Amino acid sequence: MFKVNFHAQVNPAFTLLSEDQVYRIHLASLEILEHTGVMIESERVLNMLKEAGCLVKGNLVKLPAAIVEKAVESAPERAVLADMDGRRSVFLEKNVVNFGVRIGQKYFYDAEKKETRQAVLEDAENMAKVCEVMEHINFVSSQAEPEKAFGQFQAIRKYTKKPILQYGSDVSSLKNILELACDWAGGREELKRNPNMAVYLSSDAPLTISAQNSEMLILSAEYGVPAIYDNGIIPGVNAPGSLAGAVALANAGVLTALTVHQLTAKGAPFIMGISAHEENDGGELTSGGPDVCLIQTAAGHLSRFYRIPSYGKFGGTDACTCDQQAALEATFSTQSAAQAGTNMSDCTGMGRPGNLEHLIMVNEIIGMTNHFYKGAEISEDTVPMELINEVGHGGHFLLADHTMKHYKSATFYPRYMNRQNFMIWEKEDGKDMLQKLTIKSQRILKSALRG
């Protein structure tokens, strides 16, 4: 017996924008580039764009749609990052979501001393130690001031083999970091084949590319490592107050960076980023709200339209400690990243102060999300008619071979969340989740020190 014309959906699916809506945003971005144009602060890039056929008047560049679309076509559909053993571990391609942790927060919570203080280099090293053993953390991100970037990059690498997303701080420090990455990879060509790092560049002025970002874009393309260009937007502040208008404007800036990148080195790996923020009463940027996730989800739809890998800031929280707010926002944001299909999110486990307990908690949240998005397989094996008939009425399936085969994959077993009833929980240890997370973080640090 065989079945025909059977359509299956294994994974849960989510669509925010239709193909027509995405295409309309794309056309709006092209119109912005042709009509309004972009301010470029680099003479080198201005000459490059002029030679390519763009209209250049002073620092203002207007990009014809044909030039932009040619750059989109030349950018690879996927990029891959490798760990320090050369194992290709982070795949940036359609329907693959990777989570990473940003290392380099200004403040850090020390669970052992129960105090929040100015972060030091040791805190970055401790976060790297924890990231290394978190199975759902795929990469780490290093963010530091220019004078500290190279030292932090070296320090993090001592404690994790996972790929590093290096925030671009300035051209000089980035070049030194890229040269070090070449040494670790075994040469420049080997770094291109199996990059152990990627470069992150950002701008909060969507229609302006600074001289420094221009040079770092060019440098990343020349070395052939994946480069993220992320336009950070605050709807109603540096972008229109509507989702569609904000995304169209930010997308225009990203497409300009993509064009510069591909004119430098055709086929160099590029990753699109549009990250959103809100502004609180004190003028600080916040990122925990659902409207932020909506904008980044729309950006994920755009990247799939272009068939270019995507970046977003999912998985974080505005909470200042590992509390209920941190858990709520991290869970919602992590789910949103999966729904958006964003290939690379580096705010996982990030609160306003660095917090190892929060990082470990979000690793478990990602595990739950992964389990949910495995979905449901419907087949003769997963609907065992013979077994159901054999067990019959009122029987049990506990000892059946079918149960032994499927129970581990069918059920999510948390490490830190409670699944016991109150009496057993109280008798065994009575520890809440935060206490368990603190114990785990201290064990990891002590184990890494012994290693």
Side-chain angles (χ1 to χ4, degrees), residues 366-390:
I366 298 170
M368 294 176 67
T369 305
N370 283 348
H371 185 86
F372 179 79
Y373 279 93
K374 285 191 302 184
E377 177 191 350
I378 310 299
S379 66
E380 291 183 12
D381 181 48
T382 60
V383 186
M385 300 305 298
E386 290 286 340
L387 177 60
I388 292 171
N389 184 60
E390 180 184 323

CSV table of all heavy atoms in Angstrom, one decimal, residues 366-390:
chain,number,residue,atom,x,y,z
A,366,ILE,N,15.7,28.5,24.9
A,366,ILE,CA,16.0,28.2,23.5
A,366,ILE,C,15.7,26.7,23.3
A,366,ILE,O,15.2,26.3,22.2
A,366,ILE,CB,17.4,28.5,23.1
A,366,ILE,CG1,17.7,30.0,23.2
A,366,ILE,CG2,17.7,28.0,21.6
A,366,ILE,CD1,19.1,30.4,23.0
A,367,GLY,N,16.1,25.9,24.3
A,367,GLY,CA,15.8,24.4,24.2
A,367,GLY,C,14.3,24.1,24.0
A,367,GLY,O,13.9,23.3,23.2
A,368,MET,N,13.5,24.9,24.8
A,368,MET,CA,12.1,24.7,24.7
A,368,MET,C,11.6,25.1,23.3
A,368,MET,O,10.8,24.4,22.7
A,368,MET,CB,11.4,25.6,25.8
A,368,MET,CG,11.6,25.1,27.2
A,368,MET,SD,10.8,26.3,28.3
A,368,MET,CE,9.1,26.0,28.0
A,369,THR,N,12.1,26.2,22.8
A,369,THR,CA,11.7,26.7,21.5
A,369,THR,C,12.1,25.7,20.4
A,369,THR,O,11.3,25.5,19.5
A,369,THR,CB,12.4,28.1,21.2
A,369,THR,OG1,12.0,29.0,22.3
A,369,THR,CG2,11.9,28.7,19.9
A,370,ASN,N,13.3,25.2,20.5
A,370,ASN,CA,13.8,24.2,19.5
A,370,ASN,C,12.8,23.0,19.5
A,370,ASN,O,12.5,22.5,18.5
A,370,ASN,CB,15.2,23.7,19.9
A,370,ASN,CG,16.2,24.7,19.4
A,370,ASN,OD1,16.0,25.7,18.7
A,370,ASN,ND2,17.5,24.5,19.9
A,371,HIS,N,12.5,22.6,20.7
A,371,HIS,CA,11.6,21.4,20.8
A,371,HIS,C,10.2,21.7,20.2
A,371,HIS,O,9.7,20.8,19.4
A,371,HIS,CB,11.4,21.0,22.3
A,371,HIS,CG,10.6,19.8,22.5
A,371,HIS,ND1,11.2,18.5,22.5
A,371,HIS,CD2,9.3,19.5,22.7
A,371,HIS,CE1,10.3,17.6,22.6
A,371,HIS,NE2,9.1,18.2,22.8
A,372,PHE,N,9.7,22.9,20.4
A,372,PHE,CA,8.4,23.2,19.8
A,372,PHE,C,8.5,23.2,18.3
A,372,PHE,O,7.6,22.8,17.6
A,372,PHE,CB,7.9,24.6,20.4
A,372,PHE,CG,6.6,25.0,19.8
A,372,PHE,CD1,5.4,24.5,20.3
A,372,PHE,CD2,6.6,26.0,18.8
A,372,PHE,CE1,4.2,24.9,19.8
A,372,PHE,CE2,5.3,26.4,18.3
A,372,PHE,CZ,4.2,25.9,18.8
A,373,TYR,N,9.5,23.8,17.8
A,373,TYR,CA,9.6,24.0,16.3
A,373,TYR,C,10.1,22.8,15.6
A,373,TYR,O,10.2,22.8,14.4
A,373,TYR,CB,10.5,25.2,16.0
A,373,TYR,CG,9.7,26.5,16.1
A,373,TYR,CD1,9.7,27.2,17.3
A,373,TYR,CD2,8.9,26.9,15.1
A,373,TYR,CE1,8.9,28.4,17.4
A,373,TYR,CE2,8.1,28.1,15.2
A,373,TYR,CZ,8.1,28.8,16.4
A,373,TYR,OH,7.4,29.9,16.5
A,374,LYS,N,10.4,21.7,16.3
A,374,LYS,CA,10.6,20.4,15.6
A,374,LYS,C,9.2,20.0,15.0
A,374,LYS,O,9.2,19.2,14.1
A,374,LYS,CB,11.1,19.3,16.6
A,374,LYS,CG,12.5,19.5,17.0
A,374,LYS,CD,13.1,18.3,17.7
A,374,LYS,CE,12.3,18.0,19.0
A,374,LYS,NZ,12.9,16.9,19.8
A,375,GLY,N,8.1,20.4,15.7
A,375,GLY,CA,6.8,20.1,15.1
A,375,GLY,C,6.4,18.7,15.3
A,375,GLY,O,6.8,18.0,16.2
A,376,ALA,N,5.5,18.2,14.4
A,376,ALA,CA,4.9,16.9,14.5
A,376,ALA,C,5.0,16.1,13.2
A,376,ALA,O,4.6,16.6,12.2
A,376,ALA,CB,3.5,17.0,15.0
A,377,GLU,N,5.6,15.0,13.3
A,377,GLU,CA,5.6,14.1,12.1
A,377,GLU,C,4.4,13.2,12.1
A,377,GLU,O,4.1,12.5,13.1
A,377,GLU,CB,6.9,13.3,12.1
A,377,GLU,CG,7.0,12.3,10.9
A,377,GLU,CD,8.1,11.3,11.1
A,377,GLU,OE1,9.0,11.5,12.0
A,377,GLU,OE2,8.2,10.3,10.3
A,378,ILE,N,3.7,13.1,11.0
A,378,ILE,CA,2.6,12.2,10.9
A,378,ILE,C,2.9,11.1,9.9
A,378,ILE,O,3.1,11.4,8.7
A,378,ILE,CB,1.3,13.0,10.4
A,378,ILE,CG1,1.1,14.2,11.2
A,378,ILE,CG2,0.1,12.1,10.4
A,378,ILE,CD1,0.8,14.0,12.7
A,379,SER,N,3.1,9.9,10.4
A,379,SER,CA,3.5,8.8,9.5
A,379,SER,C,2.9,7.5,10.2
A,379,SER,O,2.4,7.5,11.3
A,379,SER,CB,5.0,8.7,9.4
A,379,SER,OG,5.6,8.4,10.7
A,380,GLU,N,3.1,6.4,9.5
A,380,GLU,CA,2.7,5.1,10.0
A,380,GLU,C,3.5,4.7,11.3
A,380,GLU,O,3.0,4.1,12.1
A,380,GLU,CB,2.9,4.0,8.9
A,380,GLU,CG,1.9,4.1,7.8
A,380,GLU,CD,2.1,3.0,6.7
A,380,GLU,OE1,2.8,2.0,7.1
A,380,GLU,OE2,1.5,3.1,5.6
A,381,ASP,N,4.7,5.2,11.3
A,381,ASP,CA,5.5,5.0,12.5
A,381,ASP,C,5.0,5.8,13.7
A,381,ASP,O,5.0,5.3,14.9
A,381,ASP,CB,7.0,5.3,12.3
A,381,ASP,CG,7.9,5.0,13.5
A,381,ASP,OD1,7.8,3.9,14.1
A,381,ASP,OD2,8.7,5.9,13.8
A,382,THR,N,4.6,7.1,13.5
A,382,THR,CA,4.2,7.9,14.6
A,382,THR,C,2.8,7.7,15.0
A,382,THR,O,2.3,8.1,16.1
A,382,THR,CB,4.4,9.4,14.3
A,382,THR,OG1,3.7,9.8,13.2
A,382,THR,CG2,5.9,9.7,14.1
A,383,VAL,N,2.0,7.0,14.2
A,383,VAL,CA,0.6,6.6,14.5
A,383,VAL,C,0.6,5.1,14.4
A,383,VAL,O,0.1,4.5,13.4
A,383,VAL,CB,-0.4,7.3,13.5
A,383,VAL,CG1,-1.8,6.9,14.0
A,383,VAL,CG2,-0.2,8.8,13.4
A,384,PRO,N,1.0,4.4,15.5
A,384,PRO,CA,1.2,2.9,15.4
A,384,PRO,C,-0.1,2.2,15.6
A,384,PRO,O,-0.5,1.8,16.7
A,384,PRO,CB,2.2,2.7,16.6
A,384,PRO,CG,1.8,3.8,17.6
A,384,PRO,CD,1.4,5.0,16.8
A,385,MET,N,-0.8,1.9,14.6
A,385,MET,CA,-2.1,1.3,14.6
A,385,MET,C,-2.1,-0.1,15.2
A,385,MET,O,-3.0,-0.4,16.0
A,385,MET,CB,-2.8,1.3,13.2
A,385,MET,CG,-3.0,2.7,12.6
A,385,MET,SD,-3.9,3.8,13.6
A,385,MET,CE,-5.4,2.9,13.8
A,386,GLU,N,-1.1,-0.9,14.9
A,386,GLU,CA,-1.0,-2.2,15.4
A,386,GLU,C,-0.8,-2.2,16.9
A,386,GLU,O,-1.4,-3.0,17.6
A,386,GLU,CB,0.2,-3.0,14.7
A,386,GLU,CG,0.0,-3.3,13.3
A,386,GLU,CD,-1.0,-4.4,13.1
A,386,GLU,OE1,-1.2,-5.2,14.1
A,386,GLU,OE2,-1.5,-4.6,12.0
A,387,LEU,N,0.0,-1.3,17.4
A,387,LEU,CA,0.3,-1.2,18.8
A,387,LEU,C,-1.0,-0.7,19.6
A,387,LEU,O,-1.3,-1.2,20.6
A,387,LEU,CB,1.4,-0.2,19.1
A,387,LEU,CG,1.8,0.0,20.6
A,387,LEU,CD1,2.2,-1.2,21.3
A,387,LEU,CD2,2.9,1.1,20.7
A,388,ILE,N,-1.7,0.3,19.0
A,388,ILE,CA,-2.9,0.7,19.6
A,388,ILE,C,-3.9,-0.4,19.7
A,388,ILE,O,-4.6,-0.6,20.8
A,388,ILE,CB,-3.5,1.9,18.8
A,388,ILE,CG1,-2.6,3.1,18.9
A,388,ILE,CG2,-4.9,2.3,19.3
A,388,ILE,CD1,-2.9,4.3,18.0
A,389,ASN,N,-4.0,-1.2,18.7
A,389,ASN,CA,-5.0,-2.3,18.7
A,389,ASN,C,-4.5,-3.4,19.8
A,389,ASN,O,-5.4,-4.0,20.5
A,389,ASN,CB,-5.1,-2.9,17.3
A,389,ASN,CG,-6.1,-4.1,17.3
A,389,ASN,OD1,-7.3,-3.8,17.5
A,389,ASN,ND2,-5.6,-5.3,17.0
A,390,GLU,N,-3.2,-3.6,19.8
A,390,GLU,CA,-2.7,-4.6,20.8
A,390,GLU,C,-2.9,-4.2,22.2
A,390,GLU,O,-3.3,-5.0,23.1
A,390,GLU,CB,-1.2,-4.8,20.5
A,390,GLU,CG,-0.5,-5.8,21.4
A,390,GLU,CD,1.0,-5.8,21.1
A,390,GLU,OE1,1.4,-5.7,19.9
A,390,GLU,OE2,1.8,-6.0,22.1
